[in-house]
Structures are given as C-alpha cells and as structure tokens.
Amino acid sequence: MGKRIVVALGGNALGQSLPEQMAAVKQTARAIAELIAGGNEVVVSHGNGPQVGMLQKAMAQLTRSDPERYIPCPLSVCVAMSQGYIGYDLQNALREELLNRGIHKGVATVLTQVEVDPNDPAFRHPTKPIGAFHTPDEAKTLIQQWGYRMAEDAGRGWRRVVASPKPVSIVEIDTIRALVDSDHVVVACGGGGIPVFRTGGHHLKGAAAVIDKDFASEKLAELLDADCLMILTAVEKAAIHFGKPEQQWLDTISVEEARRYCGEGHFAPGSMLPKVEAAIAFAASKPGRRALITLLEKAKDGVEGRTGTVIVQP
Ligand code: ADP
Ligand code: MG
C-alpha cells in the first residue's frame, strides 16, 4: 500500500553549481518519480548550503560594487532566492519525469517560512558554514568590513558561519497540507525554510539564519502525519565507528539504540548527526512512523525495506 513519504534531499541531489544542479535534478527527479509511480504520496524538501552561500556572495559583491544603490541583502532573502531557483529546477524536472511515465499530477513549490525562536541559543553560537572558503587574511577583512562571523572549517579554510536555530513551526503548513491532500506533488521547506521571527501583530520578520533541512523536514513530516521520513544523502547507511577499521553499517535500529550511538559520538555534527537526530525525533513522535537514511539512487529499495538505515520505535 502507498505511503506518505517526506523525502529530504541532501547536497548530492542538487550538485554544487548551476550546471551541476541541472544535471543532478534529472536523476533526483527519476528517483522521486519512481516512488510516486509505486503509489506513494511524496513531499519533497531539500538543503541549500552551497546555493545560499553563492547567492549571499553574489549579493554582497553587488553591495560592495555600488554601496549607494545596493544595501546588503538579508540572509533570509537569500534563503528565499535559493528556495525559488532550486524549486524551479526540481518542479521542472519532476513534471517531465512524471509525464514521461503517464502520471498527471500537479507539481508545485511552496515558498515556505519557518518560525524560529529569537532566544534560540544558536543565535549566540553560529555554527553552520555556508558558501566559499577563504584565506585567514580574507576572513579578517570580511569580519572587519561586514561584521561576518568566520570560522575555520575542518582544515579546509575559513567560511562564513551563520546561526542554525531549530524550527518551531511551519507557517504555510495548511497550504502545503491542502495541496498534498489533493494529490499534488509539493516541494516545501527548501533550505530548511525561510527563517522568521514572530513580532507584534501578524508581522513575521526575516531572521539572519539558515535552518538545518534535516530538522525542518522532520517537522514537516510530523505535521503532515507522514508514514516515513526519508533522508537521502551521499551514503547508503549510517555507520558506527565511521571511517575506522571497525566500522559497522547500521540496518534497522531502535530509537533507543540510535540515541545511545549519538551519545557515544558516532555521528559527525553538521553532517550525519542532524540526520540521525531528525530520524530519532520522527520515529519517536508516534508509533508506526519510520525514518530512513540512504542514498538517492537507493530510494526505492529503501522504501521497500531492502537497504538503508531504518530507525523505528519498536
Ligand atoms: P547532505 O548534503 O546530504 O546533508 P552531509 O555531507 O551533510 O550530506 O552528510 C552526509 C555525510 O556524513 C556522509 O557523506 C559521510 O561522509 C558523513 N558521515 C559522518 N558521520 C557518519 C557516520 N557515522 N555514518 C555515515 N556517514 C557519516
Ligand atoms: Mg548536510
């Protein structure tokens, strides 16, 4: 029987540049269309690390080139731009793949705002690296001229780091649900959603942050009462002792086991840890919900129980 699946796409589903993205989304669309052809209801979300970094850099260059005319573009607007063009590519490729299979369904991207808490400790400790790598001298200049927070990223150079608060609520959730319930294929919560604060009255104010797509997708899956949260990434399974001789790939594990492995430090913060944490939160949110971490190319095999790391509440 068909399931409702929230598919969270990682960096490898979108590529690192515009031409790479055009090619990558074709394969991504094929994997998603297969799930839909199998009778599942699919909701798509995706990350935006490289893309939001690129847009932010382009907008900053514009400001520098003509400061009289262009003021710095807020990070929330850069996230919105990334949702727009990634959504366009996915929507375009998915429509084609579905029509090629004789499937007539509407495909739409919902620009999604996600509420964050202004008191989230993440605002005091920015941790998420975005965009290009810089030398220490360039980093110093960026800090002095633009007030950026810069941090050394795993020996590869300096990058801008931004706050990555936890999602509190999805503003457009009713709209997304209405489309999903009427059998449309929806792309939502791209790049973790456009981060906004609630202010006085009904105003929502953009926040200078990038929400982790794994956590936003988890929230989306819960609120849509999905059966499965599927996190598609660059590895077929999560592992304990990752990269070490005693490495062991994980098949089906319980929430409790997964929590223990997190506590033992098996998953790298900023890459595998948020996925496992999101998977745990979803599986623990209601009996019967399953979370799956696997490769994009293995999406169908994963749904049919043939591969991936599955986290369940037994
Ligand atoms: P995405 O763009 O899909 O979010 P990330 O690069 O952020 O991808 O995270 C996936 C990566 O996490 C894998 O490619 C792998 O190199 C790394 N990783 C870190 N710890 C683990 C682990 N314990 N098991 C598997 N992969 C891990
Ligand atoms: Mg990631």
Side-chain angles (χ1 to χ4, degrees):
M1 203 192 69
K3 296 189 180 79
R4 179 171 286 189
I5 308 170
V6 169
V7 174
L9 301 171
N12 66 326
L14 300 170
Q16 296 281 326
S17 62
L18 288 173
E20 265 184 44
Q21 182 170 308
M22 289 266 272
V25 292
K26 281 206 171 72
Q27 194 187 342
T28 304
R30 235 169 269 148
I32 296 169
E34 263 185 30
L35 295 178
I36 298 170
N40 301 291
E41 255 178 13
V42 177
V43 184
V44 182
S45 69
H46 59 82
N48 73 345
Q51 296 83 358
V52 77
M54 175 192 82
L55 287 162
Q56 195 275 326
K57 185 177 179 196
M59 297 311 284
Q61 277 166 350
L62 195 63
T63 310
R64 258 167 257 169
S65 72
D66 190 353
E68 304 271 294
R69 197 153 154 188
Y70 300 107
I71 59 160
C73 177
L75 192 54
S76 52
V77 176
C78 295
V79 175
M81 290 177 175
S82 76
Q83 277 192 357
Y85 91 84
I86 295 171
Y88 157 52
D89 271 358
L90 282 172
Q91 188 172 304
N92 180 291
L94 263 171
R95 173 186 170 276
E96 185 175 333
E97 280 298 325
L98 291 174
L99 287 175
N100 288 346
R101 287 169 168 75
I103 300 171
H104 295 260
K105 276 184 200 287
V107 184
T109 302
V110 176
L111 279 183
T112 315
Q113 304 178 88
V114 171
E115 185 193 347
V116 295
D117 178 356
N119 297 315
D120 191 309
F123 284 104
R124 276 173 279 126
H125 303 284
T127 51
K128 188 174 174 64
I130 59 165
F133 293 89
H134 298 276
T135 65
D137 278 349
E138 288 167 353
K140 216 178 273 172
T141 311
L142 289 167
I143 293 166
Q144 283 162 0
Q145 285 197 341
W146 300 98
Y148 288 174
R149 293 252 204 163
M150 304 289 293
E152 222 281 324
D153 186 357
R156 294 176 296 179
W158 289 72
R159 290 176 89 184
R160 184 176 181 196
V161 285
V162 300
S164 193
K166 289 285 190 308
V168 174
S169 71
I170 297 171
V171 178
E172 285 78 17
I173 191 66
D174 291 339
T175 308
I176 296 167
R177 192 183 290 113
L179 285 167
V180 174
D181 285 348
S182 58
D183 212 23
H184 292 260
V185 179
V186 182
V187 180
C189 286
I194 305 161
V196 294
F197 299 134
R198 260 178 217 286
T199 61
H202 294 299
H203 184 63
L204 297 174
K205 186 181 184 317
V210 176
I211 301 166
D212 197 301
K213 69 105 178 32
D214 298 314
F215 296 128
S217 307
E218 190 281 324
K219 183 118 287 184
L220 182 66
E222 266 194 49
L223 295 173
L224 292 176
D225 197 17
D227 304 295
C228 178
L229 168 65
M230 193 151 127
I231 301 177
L232 298 181
T233 185
V235 283
E236 187 164 340
K237 294 174 186 179
I240 51 172
H241 307 290
F242 182 66
K244 300 194 187 120
E246 66 270 36
Q247 169 176 301
Q248 210 183 309
W249 297 112
L250 299 167
D251 298 315
T252 299
I253 56 172
S254 67
V255 165
E256 199 188 330
E257 246 178 299
R259 283 198 183 120
R260 191 175 76 239
Y261 294 145
C262 287
E264 290 170 0
H266 287 289
F267 312 117
S271 61
M272 189 47 74
L273 184 61
K275 297 183 204 318
V276 176
E277 286 178 344
I280 291 172
F282 183 69
S285 64
K286 198 173 166 184
R289 288 180 175 171
R290 296 155 66 83
L292 170 71
I293 300 169
T294 195
L295 274 177
L296 174 71
E297 304 86 286
K298 302 277 177 167
K300 189 162 180 277
D301 285 346
V303 158
E304 292 169 5
R306 285 190 292 272
T307 190
T309 297
V310 177
I311 298 180
V312 283
Q313 179 87 276

